[in-house]
Amino acid sequence: MDYLPLFFDLKTKPCLVVGGGLVALRKAELLCRAGARVTVVAPKLRQELLSLLQTHQGRAITAPYREELLSGMMLVVAATDDLALNRQLHRDAQARGIPINVVDQPALCSFIFPAIVDRSPLMIAVSSGGSSPVLARLVRARLEALIPSYYGQMARLMGQFRERVKRRFERIESRRTFWERVLYGPVAEQLSVGEEAQAEQWMTRLLAQSEEQQAGEVYLVGAGPGDPDLLTFKALRMMQQADVVLYDRLVSRRVLELCRRDAERIYVGKERDNHAVPQEGINQLLVDLALQGKKVLRLKGGDPFIFGRGGEELELLAEKQIPFQVVPGITAAAACACYAGIPLTHRDYAQSVKFVTGQLKNRSSDLNWPELVHANQTIVFYMGLHRIGHLASQLIAHGKSPETPVAVVQAGSTPQQKVVTGTLATIEAELQQNPLKPPSLIIVGEVVELHKKLAWYQGAEEDGHPVLSLRE
Ligand code: SAH
């Protein structure tokens, strides 16, 4: 370890910044944020520095640096481009045992400034030990994206309750379980939407519950179309905290791999005419697992509320008063359209888009065909591949031009993606030439023409482990 990371309490402590330019300003700002009493010395100080010091009761000295200024200082920052002066500052500070940072000259530093993610009081510091500040900033940017912005309030709230929780739960394991419930449950969710008062009420409520009362929870989460990069941050968070995962066929292998390693995984199937667990069984299983106190993840392909029966799964939970949360996912229509270069709407070709199911309960009378054949509208059929001939002929019979372009997208967003195009008149024959497998999505409308121009993703050779399990 080249440097020991420490967090320094600088409140009301005198600190010296030498230099009057932009770099000095940035360092002085940082020190002011930490509550230090900042003195800045330089023959000339930029206006922002003067205002900053005025706001934070600092001191501006418009004169060259002199050694006496070091007296009583806790910390020194040299932000000048005068190399001789920097060296002198380094010597003077060392002689007095004052920590010094000379900007951009690691050899003259006794401490370095890390890149920081500030969720005060939660603070994350990243350093490459001076070897690559760019790399440290990149890591910081990644962490920024990963750490929800409300974690600062979370840390403060947890701090406020810390003593009470200690008194309430004697055993350290119980305390840990309690804090996990806070971090993963309704307290966090309230904070994430800015409801601080609600979050505090939840905290008090959780604290009053006995350990047995602490029932589980269900997360109904959209896993997207297959590409794990299309998951939401929230989906990922819930995937990593769930004790048990119920998933079906449309959840890709690579997405499933991101669930917590030790979580129990239950396959509940669902292919056309072959359900590993019938729908009522899934509904009941969610209830049973939650009542055992588990955090249950119900992971569904695409978006849970688009042809996903997500609503039905929640009804029983609501009835039994089991807490649940729902996380949207990128639905197949959005993903297939983007990955095939087919804008679902376009000023010139389509002013609206309809998502419909091609799986018809009572044959074709389920769909309002006259409404589907309107001009300037894109139609997306989910679950329609096996009946594409029927769907195409119904659209033609109800007045849609046989020349209307059609695209079928197999396993959109995954390496197995394939696109076959044709028209309502030809698509069935095209598919006989180039057969596709489910899951596939059908897009009908003039916008399909744009695929020729805008296609950008070709899929890739299969590696023997399909990302989405394709059906025969
Ligand atoms: N809730 C899902 C849809 C479930 S219905 C969503 O929002 O996407 C199942 C149908 O979705 C499949 O028959 C297929 O038509 C479509 N589908 C799902 N994932 C797909 C993918 N990656 N590529 C193409 N079609 C897909």
mmCIF file of all heavy atoms in Angstrom, residues 203-221:
data_model
loop_
_atom_site.group_PDB
_atom_site.id
_atom_site.type_symbol
_atom_site.label_atom_id
_atom_site.label_comp_id
_atom_site.label_asym_id
_atom_site.label_seq_id
_atom_site.Cartn_x
_atom_site.Cartn_y
_atom_site.Cartn_z
ATOM 1 N N MET A 203 -38.989 3.800 9.361
ATOM 2 C CA MET A 203 -37.904 3.379 10.235
ATOM 3 C C MET A 203 -38.474 3.114 11.625
ATOM 4 O O MET A 203 -38.181 2.081 12.243
ATOM 5 C CB MET A 203 -36.858 4.499 10.270
ATOM 6 C CG MET A 203 -35.595 4.106 10.911
ATOM 7 S SD MET A 203 -34.533 3.243 9.768
ATOM 8 C CE MET A 203 -33.124 4.291 9.793
ATOM 9 N N THR A 204 -39.290 4.021 12.112
ATOM 10 C CA THR A 204 -39.880 3.868 13.438
ATOM 11 C C THR A 204 -40.776 2.634 13.466
ATOM 12 O O THR A 204 -40.772 1.853 14.424
ATOM 13 C CB THR A 204 -40.729 5.118 13.782
ATOM 14 O OG1 THR A 204 -39.944 6.261 13.444
ATOM 15 C CG2 THR A 204 -41.086 5.172 15.238
ATOM 16 N N ARG A 205 -41.538 2.458 12.379
ATOM 17 C CA ARG A 205 -42.450 1.320 12.309
ATOM 18 C C ARG A 205 -41.673 -0.005 12.327
ATOM 19 O O ARG A 205 -42.019 -0.932 13.041
ATOM 20 C CB ARG A 205 -43.268 1.419 11.025
ATOM 21 C CG ARG A 205 -44.621 0.755 11.131
ATOM 22 C CD ARG A 205 -45.437 0.930 9.867
ATOM 23 N NE ARG A 205 -45.603 2.319 9.453
ATOM 24 C CZ ARG A 205 -46.047 2.691 8.247
ATOM 25 N NH1 ARG A 205 -46.325 1.794 7.340
ATOM 26 N NH2 ARG A 205 -46.208 3.957 7.956
ATOM 27 N N LEU A 206 -40.622 -0.072 11.546
ATOM 28 C CA LEU A 206 -39.829 -1.317 11.492
ATOM 29 C C LEU A 206 -39.220 -1.626 12.856
ATOM 30 O O LEU A 206 -39.139 -2.767 13.283
ATOM 31 C CB LEU A 206 -38.699 -1.197 10.465
ATOM 32 C CG LEU A 206 -39.080 -1.141 8.987
ATOM 33 C CD1 LEU A 206 -37.821 -1.116 8.127
ATOM 34 C CD2 LEU A 206 -39.949 -2.324 8.596
ATOM 35 N N LEU A 207 -38.821 -0.562 13.533
ATOM 36 C CA LEU A 207 -38.181 -0.727 14.826
ATOM 37 C C LEU A 207 -39.165 -1.298 15.849
ATOM 38 O O LEU A 207 -38.785 -2.026 16.765
ATOM 39 C CB LEU A 207 -37.655 0.640 15.284
ATOM 40 C CG LEU A 207 -36.520 0.674 16.272
ATOM 41 C CD1 LEU A 207 -35.351 -0.152 15.793
ATOM 42 C CD2 LEU A 207 -36.069 2.120 16.492
ATOM 43 N N ALA A 208 -40.450 -0.980 15.653
ATOM 44 C CA ALA A 208 -41.469 -1.442 16.603
ATOM 45 C C ALA A 208 -41.864 -2.896 16.345
ATOM 46 O O ALA A 208 -42.429 -3.555 17.210
ATOM 47 C CB ALA A 208 -42.694 -0.541 16.507
ATOM 48 N N GLN A 209 -41.571 -3.394 15.119
ATOM 49 C CA GLN A 209 -41.989 -4.761 14.793
ATOM 50 C C GLN A 209 -41.123 -5.788 15.513
ATOM 51 O O GLN A 209 -39.929 -5.563 15.697
ATOM 52 C CB GLN A 209 -41.842 -5.016 13.291
ATOM 53 C CG GLN A 209 -42.905 -4.366 12.463
ATOM 54 C CD GLN A 209 -42.695 -4.644 10.978
ATOM 55 O OE1 GLN A 209 -41.693 -5.205 10.572
ATOM 56 N NE2 GLN A 209 -43.662 -4.227 10.184
ATOM 57 N N SER A 210 -41.749 -6.926 15.853
ATOM 58 C CA SER A 210 -40.933 -8.004 16.411
ATOM 59 C C SER A 210 -40.232 -8.702 15.256
ATOM 60 O O SER A 210 -40.624 -8.553 14.099
ATOM 61 C CB SER A 210 -41.822 -9.005 17.143
ATOM 62 O OG SER A 210 -42.585 -9.696 16.193
ATOM 63 N N GLU A 211 -39.221 -9.491 15.578
ATOM 64 C CA GLU A 211 -38.461 -10.122 14.504
ATOM 65 C C GLU A 211 -39.344 -11.063 13.677
ATOM 66 O O GLU A 211 -39.167 -11.189 12.482
ATOM 67 C CB GLU A 211 -37.246 -10.857 15.072
ATOM 68 C CG GLU A 211 -36.124 -9.866 15.363
ATOM 69 C CD GLU A 211 -34.934 -10.490 16.067
ATOM 70 O OE1 GLU A 211 -34.347 -11.407 15.506
ATOM 71 O OE2 GLU A 211 -34.610 -10.026 17.175
ATOM 72 N N GLU A 212 -40.324 -11.719 14.363
ATOM 73 C CA GLU A 212 -41.181 -12.670 13.638
ATOM 74 C C GLU A 212 -42.099 -11.952 12.659
ATOM 75 O O GLU A 212 -42.515 -12.495 11.648
ATOM 76 C CB GLU A 212 -42.069 -13.490 14.595
ATOM 77 C CG GLU A 212 -41.317 -14.372 15.565
ATOM 78 C CD GLU A 212 -40.646 -13.562 16.662
ATOM 79 O OE1 GLU A 212 -41.361 -12.775 17.306
ATOM 80 O OE2 GLU A 212 -39.427 -13.682 16.850
ATOM 81 N N GLN A 213 -42.437 -10.708 13.043
ATOM 82 C CA GLN A 213 -43.380 -9.980 12.195
ATOM 83 C C GLN A 213 -42.773 -9.576 10.861
ATOM 84 O O GLN A 213 -43.468 -9.143 9.965
ATOM 85 C CB GLN A 213 -43.809 -8.685 12.900
ATOM 86 C CG GLN A 213 -45.055 -8.806 13.724
ATOM 87 C CD GLN A 213 -45.293 -7.478 14.415
ATOM 88 O OE1 GLN A 213 -44.371 -6.801 14.861
ATOM 89 N NE2 GLN A 213 -46.535 -7.087 14.474
ATOM 90 N N GLN A 214 -41.456 -9.705 10.807
ATOM 91 C CA GLN A 214 -40.804 -9.129 9.658
ATOM 92 C C GLN A 214 -40.927 -10.041 8.453
ATOM 93 O O GLN A 214 -40.041 -10.819 8.136
ATOM 94 C CB GLN A 214 -39.361 -8.803 10.016
ATOM 95 C CG GLN A 214 -39.379 -7.865 11.216
ATOM 96 C CD GLN A 214 -38.019 -7.420 11.650
ATOM 97 O OE1 GLN A 214 -37.008 -7.930 11.195
ATOM 98 N NE2 GLN A 214 -37.984 -6.459 12.548
ATOM 99 N N ALA A 215 -42.088 -9.937 7.789
ATOM 100 C CA ALA A 215 -42.391 -10.819 6.668
ATOM 101 C C ALA A 215 -41.552 -10.435 5.462
ATOM 102 O O ALA A 215 -40.893 -9.410 5.447
ATOM 103 C CB ALA A 215 -43.864 -10.714 6.326
ATOM 104 N N GLY A 216 -41.598 -11.285 4.487
ATOM 105 C CA GLY A 216 -40.822 -11.039 3.279
ATOM 106 C C GLY A 216 -41.473 -10.022 2.374
ATOM 107 O O GLY A 216 -42.405 -9.319 2.760
ATOM 108 N N GLU A 217 -40.974 -10.010 1.170
ATOM 109 C CA GLU A 217 -41.381 -8.992 0.231
ATOM 110 C C GLU A 217 -41.194 -9.570 -1.166
ATOM 111 O O GLU A 217 -40.349 -10.446 -1.363
ATOM 112 C CB GLU A 217 -40.437 -7.793 0.424
ATOM 113 C CG GLU A 217 -40.965 -6.524 -0.094
ATOM 114 C CD GLU A 217 -40.002 -5.355 0.097
ATOM 115 O OE1 GLU A 217 -38.906 -5.524 0.652
ATOM 116 O OE2 GLU A 217 -40.364 -4.289 -0.340
ATOM 117 N N VAL A 218 -41.969 -9.088 -2.125
ATOM 118 C CA VAL A 218 -41.822 -9.597 -3.499
ATOM 119 C C VAL A 218 -41.427 -8.448 -4.424
ATOM 120 O O VAL A 218 -41.987 -7.362 -4.340
ATOM 121 C CB VAL A 218 -43.137 -10.243 -3.987
ATOM 122 C CG1 VAL A 218 -43.007 -10.677 -5.444
ATOM 123 C CG2 VAL A 218 -43.497 -11.437 -3.105
ATOM 124 N N TYR A 219 -40.432 -8.699 -5.264
ATOM 125 C CA TYR A 219 -40.065 -7.721 -6.280
ATOM 126 C C TYR A 219 -40.434 -8.294 -7.638
ATOM 127 O O TYR A 219 -39.893 -9.329 -8.032
ATOM 128 C CB TYR A 219 -38.557 -7.444 -6.280
ATOM 129 C CG TYR A 219 -37.942 -7.259 -4.916
ATOM 130 C CD1 TYR A 219 -36.806 -7.979 -4.550
ATOM 131 C CD2 TYR A 219 -38.475 -6.354 -4.006
ATOM 132 C CE1 TYR A 219 -36.221 -7.814 -3.306
ATOM 133 C CE2 TYR A 219 -37.903 -6.183 -2.758
ATOM 134 C CZ TYR A 219 -36.777 -6.919 -2.412
ATOM 135 O OH TYR A 219 -36.193 -6.757 -1.190
ATOM 136 N N LEU A 220 -41.325 -7.635 -8.323
ATOM 137 C CA LEU A 220 -41.672 -8.058 -9.682
ATOM 138 C C LEU A 220 -40.831 -7.211 -10.628
ATOM 139 O O LEU A 220 -41.023 -5.993 -10.722
ATOM 140 C CB LEU A 220 -43.168 -7.816 -9.907
ATOM 141 C CG LEU A 220 -43.702 -8.122 -11.294
ATOM 142 C CD1 LEU A 220 -43.503 -9.586 -11.653
ATOM 143 C CD2 LEU A 220 -45.187 -7.775 -11.383
ATOM 144 N N VAL A 221 -39.883 -7.861 -11.277
ATOM 145 C CA VAL A 221 -38.852 -7.088 -11.987
ATOM 146 C C VAL A 221 -38.789 -7.448 -13.465
ATOM 147 O O VAL A 221 -38.760 -8.628 -13.829
ATOM 148 C CB VAL A 221 -37.471 -7.349 -11.333
ATOM 149 C CG1 VAL A 221 -36.357 -6.714 -12.141
ATOM 150 C CG2 VAL A 221 -37.448 -6.810 -9.908
#
